[in-house]
Amino acid sequence: MAYTDEQKRQHILELQAYLHGISHQSQLPHLIPDGVYGENTANAVRLFQQQNQLPPTGETDTATWNAIAQAYRQEVRPTVLHLRLFPTGITAYAPGDKGSAVFVIQGILQAIHSAFPAVPQVQSSGVYDTATKNAVQQFQELTPLPPSGTVDAATWNHLLAALRP
């Protein structure tokens, strides 16, 4: 089956997102998903392969893809799926929102700042202000998420994954 360039890019973005998530629990470099299978991606794959007793080629064959996907599901997804912050009827937190959930979002942004220095520091106010929106948007730009500046369930999951030591 021949893939289009866009399909290849989407597969690479997915692989990079998995590696990015895994990097918060392992010694992998924090790979920024960009859809390009360049030297940084090859190095992250090679290190993953070495850590998981796979031939360290830097190429993503079926065995490597399956191992990366499994590691992501085991190490990243279980953590984020157990937390239910979004009440029924709320699809995202956005500028103008207030409350304890916004305090939590701001606390996560503060906690991940050292690992993600490009994400600006925010104050804990419980108000989803412009600074919070900008910090969320900057974080989203480091992931395969659209940089909307709002925290939906997908962004929440990525923020939680970034919290892992």
Side-chain angles (χ1 to χ4, degrees):
M1 168 193 251
Y3 291 106
T4 67
D5 287 343
E6 182 56 27
Q7 288 171 321
K8 289 178 189 176
R9 184 180 167 288
Q10 290 301 318
H11 288 300
I12 294 168
L13 278 171
E14 183 178 2
L15 171 72
Q16 291 170 328
Y18 289 160
L19 290 167
H20 177 82
I22 295 166
S23 71
H24 299 291
Q25 289 87 20
S26 71
Q27 299 292 22
L28 293 181
H30 292 295
L31 181 66
I32 298 172
D34 61 5
V36 177
Y37 202 107
E39 192 58 34
N40 291 337
T41 301
N43 285 336
V45 168
R46 190 174 298 106
L47 285 170
F48 178 88
Q49 290 168 326
Q50 288 172 346
Q51 293 171 7
N52 291 276
Q53 292 74 48
L54 294 165
T57 63
E59 296 176 11
T60 305
D61 58 9
T62 301
T64 298
W65 176 273
N66 290 341
I68 289 171
Q70 180 180 8
Y72 179 82
R73 283 191 302 273
Q74 289 176 341
E75 297 175 23
V76 178
R77 287 189 63 205
T79 303
V80 297
L81 294 178
H82 293 295
L83 296 173
R84 301 216 181 258
L85 181 65
F86 290 90
T88 303
I90 293 181
T91 57
Y93 291 95
D97 288 342
K98 299 175 182 177
S100 59
V102 177
F103 271 113
V104 172
I105 292 165
Q106 290 167 334
I108 293 170
L109 289 167
Q110 291 167 1
I112 67 170
H113 177 73
S114 62
F116 298 91
V119 176
Q121 283 283 12
V122 297
Q123 298 296 316
S124 292
S125 64
V127 177
Y128 204 114
D129 55 14
T130 302
T132 302
K133 177 188 177 200
N134 292 341
V136 168
Q137 195 166 23
Q138 193 65 34
F139 175 77
Q140 289 167 326
E141 288 178 5
L142 301 173
T143 71
L145 300 168
S148 65
T150 62
V151 176
D152 58 6
T155 300
W156 172 249
N157 288 344
H158 276 79
L159 285 166
L160 287 178
L163 272 177
R164 298 286 303 246

